[in-house]
Amino acid sequence: MGKNVLVTGGSGRLGNYVCPYLKEQGYNVSSFDVVPPRPDSANAKAGIPFVQGDLTSLGDCLRAFSFGQPDVIVHLGAIPFNVDLHPPYAGEYNRAVQDGLRFSQAMPEQATMEINTMGSFYVMDAARRLGIKKVIAASSYFVLGIGFRLSGTSYEPEYLPMDEEHPLLPEDSYSLSKVLGEEIYRAFVRAYDMRVVAMRLLGVYYPDFDRSRAMHTFNVQVPAATDQDKGYLVSNTYQYVDARDIAVFVKLSIEAGNLAPFEPFYVATDTKYTEPTSAIVARRWPFLAEKAKNIPGTEGIISIKKAERLLGYKPAYSWRTRELS
Ligand SMILES: NC(=O)c1ccc[n+]([C@@H]2O[C@H](COP(=O)([O-])OP(=O)(O)OC[C@H]3O[C@@H](n4cnc5c(N)ncnc54)[C@H](O)[C@@H]3O)[C@@H](O)[C@H]2O)c1
């Protein structure tokens, strides 16, 4: 009999890769989401048991966890963007504002902060009440402060490649909610005998979702800095992570026995370009050329070495090594 695993946000895009994969790997998987699985979804096809409920209700979390009896919770449920409105700013940022407007029409402005922080708190609180000791939680590389640059300034890495020791300087509600989520996990592992792995995911590539396919063009010609974009580093590091690699990462995290009580990892598959990273950085973000000069080959400006070292993570879905499906 495999371990019991409950996936929050299981009806979402990532949930539809993680749940069926873990089931295939012999785990007893259940899903918890505010939205039921679509009848044509991977989860429905795999017959994943489902509990409907809201992450911001402690009662719903307790009910779902009592149903699934998980040994491990995989916490993916979140609003994966910021829904609050911001004053318009120039160039690149207008797209984020348009997205913000679009998202905000569908959701109250406080949704990102409320669901991502209180949802993470209730997941941890329900887990400790029921004696569930391990949580694998989705965080984001936006914790760094890359992402929605509300100040209109460039992101300034202290050093390259960035790793899990790099300072976290978020500006927008989504990035901040992920940093606060990580603080919540840290507090719970300090207080109780619990373990949390935080997956700081790069931009996720979902092979089955059209919008994701359109956003993930491979072998991109990375443009040079222009007067208009001022050579700023905003959100795109030209790295991505394939949802199928994340599913494998989740399994490695569930099975790892040698980790610190709270362990964050950057999780990526590959970079999207073929030129050496040092040349890409010198052209795209000239102010970072010096810091990037020793990055080997096409390794990203955010490093996944820690995941390789501690978990034996080896991304399998690079566009360089196999046909894209
Ligand atoms: N998509 C990306 O590129 C990306 C990048 C970095 C990190 N992440 C993180 O990965 C995780 C999964 O992202 P995704 O792309 O699958 O997003 P998604 O929006 O497709 O899935 C999130 C799921 O959470 C559920 N949810 C939202 N609010 C809820 C609530 N109050 N109660 C219960 N369920 C609720 C939604 O219904 C949805 O099914 C998120 O935590 C996200 O922040 C995503």
Side-chain angles (χ1 to χ4, degrees):
M1 200 60 152
K3 275 191 177 175
N4 295 350
V5 178
L6 180 135
V7 180
T8 78
S11 302
R13 292 166 298 178
L14 188 52
N16 276 283
Y17 288 88
V18 170
C19 295
Y21 175 76
L22 291 179
K23 185 176 177 186
E24 250 171 58
Q25 295 295 309
Y27 293 93
N28 303 312
V29 184
S30 52
S31 164
F32 168 45
D33 201 299
V34 75
V35 171
R38 289 213 326 256
D40 60 346
S41 64
N43 279 3
K45 286 178 191 152
I48 305 290
F50 173 72
V51 180
Q52 188 159 13
D54 193 325
L55 281 165
T56 59
S57 154
L58 176 61
D60 283 5
C61 291
L62 285 167
R63 186 167 53 84
F65 300 174
S66 302
F67 169 82
Q69 300 275 309
D71 303 294
V72 179
I73 291 166
V74 180
H75 176 39
L76 308 179
I79 304 302
F81 40 76
N82 57 351
V83 293
D84 32 334
L85 299 172
H86 301 286
Y89 25 55
E92 171 79 10
Y93 301 102
N94 278 330
R95 282 202 289 280
V97 171
Q98 280 160 16
D99 270 2
L101 282 167
R102 183 162 54 77
F103 292 138
S104 295
Q105 283 165 359
M107 254 179 256
E109 280 204 56
Q110 71 275 19
T112 301
M113 186 52 72
E114 239 171 50
I115 294 170
N116 296 4
T117 56
M118 290 315 294
S120 299
F121 179 81
Y122 289 135
V123 164
M124 295 304 292
D125 201 43
R128 66 97 188 160
R129 285 166 196 257
L130 296 172
I132 302 159
K133 295 194 181 306
K134 190 154 187 179
V135 176
I136 318 297
S139 185
S140 165
Y141 75 110
F142 275 23
V143 291
L144 285 164
I146 287 179
F148 295 109
R149 299 288 305 162
L150 303 184
S151 60
T153 61
S154 177
Y155 182 68
E156 304 251 0
E158 224 164 69
Y159 56 86
L160 293 178
M162 287 173 274
D163 59 13
E164 289 76 1
E165 307 301 316
H166 193 279
L168 308 180
L169 298 166
E171 292 187 355
D172 70 280
S173 64
Y174 174 68
S175 312
L176 176 60
S177 75
K178 290 295 185 184
V179 173
L180 295 175
E182 292 194 11
E183 284 304 319
I184 290 167
Y185 308 139
R186 283 180 207 274
F188 272 88
V189 305
R190 272 196 296 273
Y192 305 101
D193 176 23
M194 297 177 87
R195 296 276 180 279
V196 177
V197 171
M199 307 186 284
R200 293 180 182 167
L201 306 175
L202 274 286
V204 184
Y205 168 59
Y206 297 107
D208 296 334
F209 293 92
D210 286 345
R211 185 156 181 268
S212 165
R213 288 183 77 97
M215 282 174 358
H216 288 79
T217 316
F218 298 96
N219 198 9
V220 294
Q221 300 308 306
V222 177
T226 64
D227 285 348
Q228 210 196 358
D229 65 35
K230 301 182 194 153
Y232 282 1
L233 172 57
V234 180
S235 61
N236 189 0
T237 67
Y238 297 96
Q239 289 168 278
Y240 69 97
V241 58
D242 190 301
R244 296 165 293 187
D245 278 329
I246 302 173
V248 175
F249 184 95
V250 169
K251 181 179 181 227
L252 291 171
S253 303
I254 291 173
E255 288 172 4
N258 57 344
L259 300 176
F262 174 76
E263 203 78 86
F265 291 97
Y266 289 104
V267 190
T269 292
D270 208 349
T271 47
K272 301 180 191 177
Y273 48 77
T274 50
E275 280 175 75
T277 299
S278 53
I280 296 279
V281 172
R283 184 166 79 242
R284 181 74 198 93
W285 307 295
F287 73 106
L288 293 174
E290 186 58 26
K291 287 177 177 162
K293 70 176 186 214
N294 293 326
I295 297 181
T298 55
E299 282 179 23
I301 64 169
I302 298 174
S303 169
I304 59 164
K305 291 272 182 258
K306 181 181 171 188
E308 291 174 351
R309 201 176 63 247
L310 293 189
L311 292 173
Y313 170 65
K314 198 171 178 319
Y317 289 95
S318 169
W319 61 277
R320 288 168 217 274
T321 53
R322 61 171 65 215
E323 281 284 295
L324 283 176
S325 58

mmCIF file of all heavy atoms in Angstrom, residues 196-229:
data_model
loop_
_atom_site.group_PDB
_atom_site.id
_atom_site.type_symbol
_atom_site.label_atom_id
_atom_site.label_comp_id
_atom_site.label_asym_id
_atom_site.label_seq_id
_atom_site.Cartn_x
_atom_site.Cartn_y
_atom_site.Cartn_z
ATOM 1 N N VAL A 196 8.593 20.842 5.742
ATOM 2 C CA VAL A 196 8.026 21.482 4.535
ATOM 3 C C VAL A 196 9.107 21.638 3.473
ATOM 4 O O VAL A 196 10.218 22.097 3.768
ATOM 5 C CB VAL A 196 7.428 22.876 4.850
ATOM 6 C CG1 VAL A 196 6.914 23.535 3.568
ATOM 7 C CG2 VAL A 196 6.292 22.775 5.869
ATOM 8 N N VAL A 197 8.763 21.249 2.267
ATOM 9 C CA VAL A 197 9.588 21.564 1.095
ATOM 10 C C VAL A 197 8.845 22.642 0.308
ATOM 11 O O VAL A 197 7.670 22.458 -0.033
ATOM 12 C CB VAL A 197 9.783 20.317 0.200
ATOM 13 C CG1 VAL A 197 10.449 20.696 -1.127
ATOM 14 C CG2 VAL A 197 10.608 19.261 0.929
ATOM 15 N N ALA A 198 9.500 23.777 0.063
ATOM 16 C CA ALA A 198 8.879 24.833 -0.755
ATOM 17 C C ALA A 198 9.469 24.779 -2.159
ATOM 18 O O ALA A 198 10.684 24.931 -2.332
ATOM 19 C CB ALA A 198 9.118 26.203 -0.123
ATOM 20 N N MET A 199 8.601 24.561 -3.139
ATOM 21 C CA MET A 199 9.053 24.472 -4.540
ATOM 22 C C MET A 199 8.939 25.865 -5.149
ATOM 23 O O MET A 199 7.831 26.317 -5.446
ATOM 24 C CB MET A 199 8.165 23.523 -5.344
ATOM 25 C CG MET A 199 7.993 22.153 -4.736
ATOM 26 S SD MET A 199 7.071 21.065 -5.869
ATOM 27 C CE MET A 199 5.391 21.661 -5.665
ATOM 28 N N ARG A 200 10.067 26.529 -5.320
ATOM 29 C CA ARG A 200 10.050 27.854 -5.968
ATOM 30 C C ARG A 200 10.099 27.622 -7.472
ATOM 31 O O ARG A 200 11.178 27.532 -8.082
ATOM 32 C CB ARG A 200 11.235 28.688 -5.497
ATOM 33 C CG ARG A 200 11.131 29.049 -4.010
ATOM 34 C CD ARG A 200 12.317 29.866 -3.584
ATOM 35 N NE ARG A 200 12.288 30.190 -2.177
ATOM 36 C CZ ARG A 200 13.322 30.672 -1.498
ATOM 37 N NH1 ARG A 200 14.477 30.882 -2.124
ATOM 38 N NH2 ARG A 200 13.218 30.944 -0.223
ATOM 39 N N LEU A 201 8.902 27.496 -8.039
ATOM 40 C CA LEU A 201 8.797 27.102 -9.448
ATOM 41 C C LEU A 201 9.125 28.264 -10.362
ATOM 42 O O LEU A 201 8.691 29.394 -10.141
ATOM 43 C CB LEU A 201 7.373 26.618 -9.736
ATOM 44 C CG LEU A 201 6.840 25.512 -8.823
ATOM 45 C CD1 LEU A 201 5.374 25.229 -9.148
ATOM 46 C CD2 LEU A 201 7.673 24.240 -8.982
ATOM 47 N N LEU A 202 9.874 27.974 -11.442
ATOM 48 C CA LEU A 202 10.011 28.934 -12.537
ATOM 49 C C LEU A 202 8.705 28.917 -13.330
ATOM 50 O O LEU A 202 7.778 28.168 -12.983
ATOM 51 C CB LEU A 202 11.205 28.537 -13.407
ATOM 52 C CG LEU A 202 12.598 29.052 -12.986
ATOM 53 C CD1 LEU A 202 12.698 30.555 -13.304
ATOM 54 C CD2 LEU A 202 12.950 28.823 -11.522
ATOM 55 N N GLY A 203 8.578 29.742 -14.368
ATOM 56 C CA GLY A 203 7.345 29.777 -15.161
ATOM 57 C C GLY A 203 7.020 28.383 -15.679
ATOM 58 O O GLY A 203 7.852 27.738 -16.314
ATOM 59 N N VAL A 204 5.807 27.904 -15.400
ATOM 60 C CA VAL A 204 5.499 26.507 -15.696
ATOM 61 C C VAL A 204 5.048 26.340 -17.146
ATOM 62 O O VAL A 204 4.232 27.117 -17.647
ATOM 63 C CB VAL A 204 4.408 25.957 -14.751
ATOM 64 C CG1 VAL A 204 4.176 24.473 -15.013
ATOM 65 C CG2 VAL A 204 4.793 26.179 -13.291
ATOM 66 N N TYR A 205 5.578 25.318 -17.792
ATOM 67 C CA TYR A 205 5.149 24.923 -19.137
ATOM 68 C C TYR A 205 4.196 23.740 -19.000
ATOM 69 O O TYR A 205 4.572 22.686 -18.470
ATOM 70 C CB TYR A 205 6.372 24.530 -19.974
ATOM 71 C CG TYR A 205 6.026 23.840 -21.270
ATOM 72 C CD1 TYR A 205 5.225 24.468 -22.222
ATOM 73 C CD2 TYR A 205 6.495 22.555 -21.533
ATOM 74 C CE1 TYR A 205 4.890 23.820 -23.409
ATOM 75 C CE2 TYR A 205 6.172 21.910 -22.716
ATOM 76 C CZ TYR A 205 5.369 22.550 -23.643
ATOM 77 O OH TYR A 205 5.051 21.910 -24.804
ATOM 78 N N TYR A 206 2.947 23.958 -19.434
ATOM 79 C CA TYR A 206 1.942 22.899 -19.394
ATOM 80 C C TYR A 206 1.693 22.419 -20.817
ATOM 81 O O TYR A 206 1.030 23.112 -21.591
ATOM 82 C CB TYR A 206 0.625 23.437 -18.819
ATOM 83 C CG TYR A 206 0.735 23.913 -17.393
ATOM 84 C CD1 TYR A 206 0.708 25.270 -17.084
ATOM 85 C CD2 TYR A 206 0.847 22.997 -16.354
ATOM 86 C CE1 TYR A 206 0.806 25.696 -15.775
ATOM 87 C CE2 TYR A 206 0.946 23.426 -15.043
ATOM 88 C CZ TYR A 206 0.922 24.778 -14.762
ATOM 89 O OH TYR A 206 1.026 25.197 -13.471
ATOM 90 N N PRO A 207 2.203 21.239 -21.189
ATOM 91 C CA PRO A 207 2.075 20.793 -22.578
ATOM 92 C C PRO A 207 0.628 20.759 -23.069
ATOM 93 O O PRO A 207 0.377 20.925 -24.255
ATOM 94 C CB PRO A 207 2.667 19.383 -22.563
ATOM 95 C CG PRO A 207 3.445 19.285 -21.308
ATOM 96 C CD PRO A 207 2.940 20.293 -20.340
ATOM 97 N N ASP A 208 -0.342 20.551 -22.161
ATOM 98 C CA ASP A 208 -1.736 20.404 -22.607
ATOM 99 C C ASP A 208 -2.539 21.695 -22.627
ATOM 100 O O ASP A 208 -3.717 21.679 -22.952
ATOM 101 C CB ASP A 208 -2.480 19.419 -21.694
ATOM 102 C CG ASP A 208 -1.887 18.034 -21.783
ATOM 103 O OD1 ASP A 208 -1.296 17.724 -22.835
ATOM 104 O OD2 ASP A 208 -1.989 17.282 -20.804
ATOM 105 N N PHE A 209 -1.923 22.809 -22.235
ATOM 106 C CA PHE A 209 -2.699 24.048 -22.156
ATOM 107 C C PHE A 209 -2.187 25.052 -23.184
ATOM 108 O O PHE A 209 -1.021 25.421 -23.181
ATOM 109 C CB PHE A 209 -2.636 24.650 -20.746
ATOM 110 C CG PHE A 209 -3.336 23.805 -19.731
ATOM 111 C CD1 PHE A 209 -2.643 22.842 -19.027
ATOM 112 C CD2 PHE A 209 -4.696 23.951 -19.496
ATOM 113 C CE1 PHE A 209 -3.286 22.028 -18.090
ATOM 114 C CE2 PHE A 209 -5.352 23.156 -18.569
ATOM 115 C CZ PHE A 209 -4.646 22.182 -17.864
ATOM 116 N N ASP A 210 -3.070 25.518 -24.045
ATOM 117 C CA ASP A 210 -2.667 26.330 -25.192
ATOM 118 C C ASP A 210 -1.949 27.603 -24.794
ATOM 119 O O ASP A 210 -0.954 27.981 -25.383
ATOM 120 C CB ASP A 210 -3.890 26.699 -26.036
ATOM 121 C CG ASP A 210 -4.369 25.500 -26.826
ATOM 122 O OD1 ASP A 210 -3.596 24.530 -26.921
ATOM 123 O OD2 ASP A 210 -5.509 25.540 -27.311
ATOM 124 N N ARG A 211 -2.469 28.298 -23.754
ATOM 125 C CA ARG A 211 -1.867 29.575 -23.385
ATOM 126 C C ARG A 211 -0.418 29.349 -22.948
ATOM 127 O O ARG A 211 0.480 30.107 -23.298
ATOM 128 C CB ARG A 211 -2.692 30.233 -22.268
ATOM 129 C CG ARG A 211 -2.202 31.607 -21.903
ATOM 130 C CD ARG A 211 -3.289 32.464 -21.263
ATOM 131 N NE ARG A 211 -2.767 33.778 -20.964
ATOM 132 C CZ ARG A 211 -2.229 34.114 -19.801
ATOM 133 N NH1 ARG A 211 -2.167 33.229 -18.832
ATOM 134 N NH2 ARG A 211 -1.765 35.326 -19.609
ATOM 135 N N SER A 212 -0.214 28.265 -22.222
ATOM 136 C CA SER A 212 1.135 27.949 -21.761
ATOM 137 C C SER A 212 2.031 27.614 -22.952
ATOM 138 O O SER A 212 3.176 28.056 -23.033
ATOM 139 C CB SER A 212 1.064 26.776 -20.789
ATOM 140 O OG SER A 212 2.325 26.234 -20.580
ATOM 141 N N ARG A 213 1.503 26.890 -23.913
ATOM 142 C CA ARG A 213 2.315 26.538 -25.094
ATOM 143 C C ARG A 213 2.740 27.807 -25.824
ATOM 144 O O ARG A 213 3.876 27.945 -26.247
ATOM 145 C CB ARG A 213 1.519 25.650 -26.055
ATOM 146 C CG ARG A 213 1.326 24.248 -25.547
ATOM 147 C CD ARG A 213 0.607 23.416 -26.583
ATOM 148 N NE ARG A 213 1.512 23.021 -27.640
ATOM 149 C CZ ARG A 213 2.124 21.845 -27.692
ATOM 150 N NH1 ARG A 213 1.908 20.957 -26.763
ATOM 151 N NH2 ARG A 213 2.931 21.561 -28.668
ATOM 152 N N ALA A 214 1.774 28.747 -25.953
ATOM 153 C CA ALA A 214 2.082 29.981 -26.679
ATOM 154 C C ALA A 214 3.163 30.778 -25.952
ATOM 155 O O ALA A 214 4.016 31.414 -26.575
ATOM 156 C CB ALA A 214 0.819 30.816 -26.826
ATOM 157 N N MET A 215 3.118 30.758 -24.626
ATOM 158 C CA MET A 215 4.085 31.553 -23.857
ATOM 159 C C MET A 215 5.468 30.923 -23.834
ATOM 160 O O MET A 215 6.451 31.583 -23.561
ATOM 161 C CB MET A 215 3.603 31.713 -22.405
ATOM 162 C CG MET A 215 2.527 32.759 -22.295
ATOM 163 S SD MET A 215 1.760 32.932 -20.672
ATOM 164 C CE MET A 215 2.471 31.734 -19.645
ATOM 165 N N HIS A 216 5.534 29.619 -24.074
ATOM 166 C CA HIS A 216 6.812 28.929 -23.972
ATOM 167 C C HIS A 216 7.368 28.597 -25.342
ATOM 168 O O HIS A 216 7.317 27.464 -25.795
ATOM 169 C CB HIS A 216 6.677 27.683 -23.098
ATOM 170 C CG HIS A 216 6.527 28.037 -21.667
ATOM 171 N ND1 HIS A 216 5.328 28.457 -21.137
ATOM 172 C CD2 HIS A 216 7.425 28.100 -20.661
ATOM 173 C CE1 HIS A 216 5.497 28.736 -19.865
ATOM 174 N NE2 HIS A 216 6.759 28.530 -19.545
ATOM 175 N N THR A 217 7.847 29.631 -26.021
ATOM 176 C CA THR A 217 8.514 29.428 -27.296
ATOM 177 C C THR A 217 9.934 28.973 -26.977
ATOM 178 O O THR A 217 10.606 29.578 -26.143
ATOM 179 C CB THR A 217 8.602 30.763 -28.045
ATOM 180 O OG1 THR A 217 7.352 31.405 -27.918
ATOM 181 C CG2 THR A 217 8.941 30.560 -29.498
ATOM 182 N N PHE A 218 10.375 27.947 -27.627
ATOM 183 C CA PHE A 218 11.709 27.442 -27.331
ATOM 184 C C PHE A 218 12.713 27.931 -28.364
ATOM 185 O O PHE A 218 12.352 28.351 -29.451
ATOM 186 C CB PHE A 218 11.674 25.919 -27.243
ATOM 187 C CG PHE A 218 10.789 25.474 -26.130
ATOM 188 C CD1 PHE A 218 9.477 25.125 -26.355
ATOM 189 C CD2 PHE A 218 11.258 25.490 -24.826
ATOM 190 C CE1 PHE A 218 8.646 24.761 -25.310
ATOM 191 C CE2 PHE A 218 10.436 25.135 -23.773
ATOM 192 C CZ PHE A 218 9.130 24.771 -24.017
ATOM 193 N N ASN A 219 13.976 27.861 -27.997
ATOM 194 C CA ASN A 219 15.058 28.399 -28.819
ATOM 195 C C ASN A 219 14.760 29.847 -29.213
ATOM 196 O O ASN A 219 14.769 30.196 -30.389
ATOM 197 C CB ASN A 219 15.287 27.536 -30.058
ATOM 198 C CG ASN A 219 16.653 27.828 -30.665
ATOM 199 O OD1 ASN A 219 17.470 28.539 -30.062
ATOM 200 N ND2 ASN A 219 16.905 27.307 -31.840
ATOM 201 N N VAL A 220 14.508 30.678 -28.221
ATOM 202 C CA VAL A 220 14.146 32.069 -28.511
ATOM 203 C C VAL A 220 15.400 32.876 -28.825
ATOM 204 O O VAL A 220 16.491 32.579 -28.334
ATOM 205 C CB VAL A 220 13.410 32.746 -27.327
ATOM 206 C CG1 VAL A 220 12.065 32.113 -27.083
ATOM 207 C CG2 VAL A 220 14.244 32.738 -26.064
ATOM 208 N N GLN A 221 15.222 33.878 -29.677
ATOM 209 C CA GLN A 221 16.298 34.829 -29.927
ATOM 210 C C GLN A 221 16.137 35.921 -28.880
ATOM 211 O O GLN A 221 15.207 36.722 -28.960
ATOM 212 C CB GLN A 221 16.175 35.408 -31.346
ATOM 213 C CG GLN A 221 16.253 34.351 -32.450
ATOM 214 C CD GLN A 221 17.478 33.453 -32.302
ATOM 215 O OE1 GLN A 221 18.597 33.929 -32.219
ATOM 216 N NE2 GLN A 221 17.258 32.146 -32.238
ATOM 217 N N VAL A 222 16.997 35.916 -27.891
ATOM 218 C CA VAL A 222 16.840 36.873 -26.790
ATOM 219 C C VAL A 222 17.254 38.256 -27.287
ATOM 220 O O VAL A 222 18.375 38.439 -27.765
ATOM 221 C CB VAL A 222 17.700 36.455 -25.575
ATOM 222 C CG1 VAL A 222 17.586 37.486 -24.458
ATOM 223 C CG2 VAL A 222 17.257 35.080 -25.083
ATOM 224 N N PRO A 223 16.340 39.243 -27.181
ATOM 225 C CA PRO A 223 16.640 40.560 -27.754
ATOM 226 C C PRO A 223 17.662 41.332 -26.919
ATOM 227 O O PRO A 223 17.835 41.061 -25.724
ATOM 228 C CB PRO A 223 15.285 41.280 -27.722
ATOM 229 C CG PRO A 223 14.521 40.608 -26.629
ATOM 230 C CD PRO A 223 15.006 39.191 -26.547
ATOM 231 N N ALA A 224 18.312 42.292 -27.561
ATOM 232 C CA ALA A 224 19.233 43.181 -26.841
ATOM 233 C C ALA A 224 18.430 44.204 -26.043
ATOM 234 O O ALA A 224 17.249 44.452 -26.342
ATOM 235 C CB ALA A 224 20.138 43.901 -27.839
ATOM 236 N N ALA A 225 19.063 44.790 -25.029
ATOM 237 C CA ALA A 225 18.442 45.894 -24.280
ATOM 238 C C ALA A 225 18.100 47.023 -25.246
ATOM 239 O O ALA A 225 18.836 47.265 -26.208
ATOM 240 C CB ALA A 225 19.422 46.386 -23.221
ATOM 241 N N THR A 226 16.971 47.715 -24.992
ATOM 242 C CA THR A 226 16.595 48.862 -25.828
ATOM 243 C C THR A 226 16.435 50.094 -24.943
ATOM 244 O O THR A 226 16.338 49.969 -23.719
ATOM 245 C CB THR A 226 15.248 48.624 -26.542
ATOM 246 O OG1 THR A 226 14.226 48.517 -25.536
ATOM 247 C CG2 THR A 226 15.260 47.365 -27.396
ATOM 248 N N ASP A 227 16.358 51.287 -25.598
ATOM 249 C CA ASP A 227 16.126 52.512 -24.830
ATOM 250 C C ASP A 227 14.811 52.414 -24.071
ATOM 251 O O ASP A 227 14.675 52.877 -22.952
ATOM 252 C CB ASP A 227 16.051 53.727 -25.766
ATOM 253 C CG ASP A 227 17.442 54.092 -26.256
ATOM 254 O OD1 ASP A 227 18.416 53.553 -25.682
ATOM 255 O OD2 ASP A 227 17.538 54.870 -27.222
ATOM 256 N N GLN A 228 13.841 51.754 -24.713
ATOM 257 C CA GLN A 228 12.515 51.673 -24.107
ATOM 258 C C GLN A 228 12.512 50.789 -22.854
ATOM 259 O O GLN A 228 11.970 51.165 -21.813
ATOM 260 C CB GLN A 228 11.526 51.126 -25.138
ATOM 261 C CG GLN A 228 10.137 51.661 -24.918
ATOM 262 C CD GLN A 228 9.093 50.838 -25.659
ATOM 263 O OE1 GLN A 228 9.409 49.883 -26.378
ATOM 264 N NE2 GLN A 228 7.849 51.217 -25.482
ATOM 265 N N ASP A 229 13.129 49.604 -22.945
ATOM 266 C CA ASP A 229 13.082 48.718 -21.756
ATOM 267 C C ASP A 229 14.278 48.941 -20.824
ATOM 268 O O ASP A 229 14.366 48.327 -19.765
ATOM 269 C CB ASP A 229 12.957 47.246 -22.168
ATOM 270 C CG ASP A 229 14.174 46.727 -22.920
ATOM 271 O OD1 ASP A 229 15.309 47.137 -22.623
ATOM 272 O OD2 ASP A 229 13.992 45.880 -23.824
#
